[in-house]
């Protein structure tokens, strides 16, 4: 697996470049565009739905093949997909808090980080408080216990 | 607020590119692509050898935007990327904090739950995606039509 480890960073960079290019092409770096999607009572801009739809169109068959086919990932021993199925207050509460923040700023994590390319200080500030909030919530002891690693698989492969 | 126009083709092509990036990562390393989780692994406890690829992935996101900008200047149809901020400094800082806390507690964001979780047909991700969408719709309604109306 040494070769696989060696290639992980360059491949991550390449995947990130394609993802970032997709964010640029789709216009999702622009909080104005995202918030106009979220503003159902205003001048609605449905673009975001097509971005998510396009991404799911490609990823759904690939994930289903991965989960149900007789294949292994090319550079890892096995699939390392999230295993949790419980729907609890943390999931719903966390998603609610995230949604409020998304609606206030018009940034979710990917576009916020990609928008650092603009060099705008408020974007840097958003990413800084986002990183701090993520770290802080990770210190909550209950989170450490309940989301502890299951058979060596990091529970936050998700995200 | 700024008016933006519906750009279905750009949206669809951008979405396909995002999908291709997640499929490549899945088929090569067997994992979902969740940006908040990738960021989380950088600042929370992770095995030491698990950090550098995360930093490179996030650097790629930024580099991809520069790549897009370069392509639009060299003939790719499309507009230069725009980041039209809609909130004041304090609101943006608070929003960032909420996004950080919420994506950690809820274990995922628009990519991890919204794209990869839906693609896995995960019940948790359907619930999370529906919840953060509803919370965001409600927040924008309050900000624009109740407070700002």
């Amino acid at each position: 697996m040494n070769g696989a480890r060696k290639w992980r960073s360059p491949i991550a960079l390449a995947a990130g470049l394609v993802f970032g290019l997709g964010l640029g092409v789709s216009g999702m770096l622009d909080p104005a565009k995202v918030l106009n999607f979220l503003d159902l009572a205003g001048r609605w801009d449905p673009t975001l739905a097509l971005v998510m739809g396009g991404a799911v169109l490609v990823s759904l068959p690939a994930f289903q093949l991965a989960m149900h086919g007789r294949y292994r990932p090319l550079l890892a021993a096995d699939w390392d997909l999230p295993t949790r199925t419980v729907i609890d207050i943390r999931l719903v509460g966390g998603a609610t808090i995230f949604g409020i923040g998304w609606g206030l700023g018009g940034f979710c994590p990917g576009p916020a980080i990609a928008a650092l390319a603009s060099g705008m200080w408020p974007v840097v500030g958003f990413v800084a408080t986002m990183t701090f909030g993520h770290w802080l919530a990770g210190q909550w002891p209950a989170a450490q216990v309940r989301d502890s690693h299951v058979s060596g698989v990091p529970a936050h492969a998700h995200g | 607020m700024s008016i933006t126009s519906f750009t279905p083709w750009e949206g669809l092509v951008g979405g396909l590119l995002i999908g291709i990036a997640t499929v490549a990562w899945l088929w090569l390393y067997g994992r979902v692509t969740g940006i908040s989780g990738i960021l989380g692994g950088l600042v929370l406890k992770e095995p030491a050898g698990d950090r550098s690829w995360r930093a490179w992935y996030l650097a790629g996101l930024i580099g991809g935007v520069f790549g897009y900008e370069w392509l639009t200047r060299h003939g790719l149809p499309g507009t230069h990327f725009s980041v039209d901020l809609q909130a004041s400094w304090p609101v943006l800082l608070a929003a960032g904090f909420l996004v950080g806390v919420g994506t950690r507690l809820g274990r995922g964001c628009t990519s991890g739950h919204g794209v990869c979780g839906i693609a896995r047909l995960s019940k948790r991700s359907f619930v999370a995606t529906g919840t953060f969408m509803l919370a965001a719709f409600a927040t924008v309604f309050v900000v624009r039509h109740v407070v700002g109306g």
Side-chain angles (χ1 to χ4, degrees), chain A residues 32-111:
Chain A
K33 210 160 166 59
V34 172
L35 290 172
N36 284 350
F37 169 78
L38 294 172
D39 187 7
L40 297 173
R43 289 281 301 264
W44 194 49
D45 178 349
T47 306
L48 189 146
L50 280 160
V51 181
M52 280 186 76
V56 170
L57 197 71
V58 176
S59 56
L60 192 138
F63 272 90
Q64 292 306 312
L65 208 60
M67 292 163 71
H68 303 296
R70 296 168 62 198
Y71 305 94
R72 289 281 161 83
L74 287 168
L75 297 174
D78 206 347
W79 306 106
D80 187 3
L81 297 171
T83 52
R84 283 153 53 89
T85 53
V86 62
I87 303 212
D88 55 9
I89 186 70
R90 294 177 71 90
L91 179 78
V92 176
T96 304
I97 294 169
F98 164 42
I100 294 170
W102 191 29
L104 285 175
F107 279 128
C108 54

Side-chain angles (χ1 to χ4, degrees), chain A residues 3-5 7-13 15-27 29-33 35-48 50-60 62-67 72-76 78-82 84-88 90-92 94-105 107-110 113-118 120-123 125-126 129-140 143-144 147 149 154-159, chain B residues 1-41 43-47 49-50 52-54 56-68 71 76 79 81-87 89 91-125 127-129 131-133 135-141 143-145:
Chain A
R5 280 191 89 81
W7 282 100
R8 197 156 56 164
S9 288
I11 290 171
L13 174 67
L17 283 168
V18 176
F19 198 121
L21 183 66
L23 288 172
V25 170
S26 65
L29 298 172
D30 189 357
K33 210 160 166 59
L35 290 172
N36 284 350
F37 169 78
L38 294 172
D39 187 7
L40 297 173
R43 289 281 301 264
W44 194 49
D45 178 349
T47 306
L48 189 146
L50 280 160
V51 181
M52 280 186 76
V56 170
L57 197 71
V58 176
S59 56
L60 192 138
F63 272 90
Q64 292 306 312
L65 208 60
M67 292 163 71
R72 289 281 161 83
L74 287 168
L75 297 174
D78 206 347
W79 306 106
D80 187 3
L81 297 171
R84 283 153 53 89
T85 53
V86 62
I87 303 212
D88 55 9
R90 294 177 71 90
L91 179 78
V92 176
T96 304
I97 294 169
F98 164 42
I100 294 170
W102 191 29
L104 285 175
F107 279 128
C108 54
I113 292 167
L116 289 172
S118 70
M120 297 165 81
W121 281 109
V123 180
F126 183 98
T129 56
M130 176 176 80
T131 307
F132 173 68
H134 203 90
W135 173 83
L136 191 69
Q139 307 307 306
W140 192 359
Q144 301 281 335
D147 300 330
H149 292 189
H156 52 95
H158 228 270
Chain B
M1 75 189 74
S2 308
I3 291 169
T4 58
S5 49
F6 180 36
T7 46
W9 291 109
E10 289 87 341
L12 193 61
V13 171
L16 293 174
L17 286 168
I18 292 168
I20 289 166
T22 65
V23 172
W25 194 245
L26 172 74
W27 281 353
L28 290 170
Y29 285 102
R31 299 179 76 153
V32 299
T33 300
I35 305 301
S36 68
I38 291 174
L39 176 71
V43 294
L44 295 165
K45 277 181 195 155
E46 281 289 334
D50 199 33
S52 61
W53 71 265
R54 295 168 182 272
W56 282 109
Y57 199 104
L58 301 184
L61 286 183
I62 301 168
V65 178
F66 284 119
Y68 171 69
L71 288 171
L76 182 84
T79 48
F81 82 95
S82 111
V83 179
D84 183 0
L85 300 175
Q86 301 288 297
W89 258 103
V91 171
L92 277 174
L93 293 181
F97 182 75
L98 293 175
V99 168
V101 169
T103 53
R104 170 64 193 181
L105 294 181
R107 289 313 175 92
C109 59
T110 333
S111 50
H113 281 312
V115 175
C116 295
I118 299 291
R120 291 188 301 114
L121 301 177
S122 151
K123 203 165 77 175
R124 263 174 71 82
S125 292
V127 170
T129 305
T131 304
F132 68 65
M133 284 281 179
F137 284 136
T139 302
V140 172
F141 184 79
V143 168
R144 288 194 171 175
H145 303 287

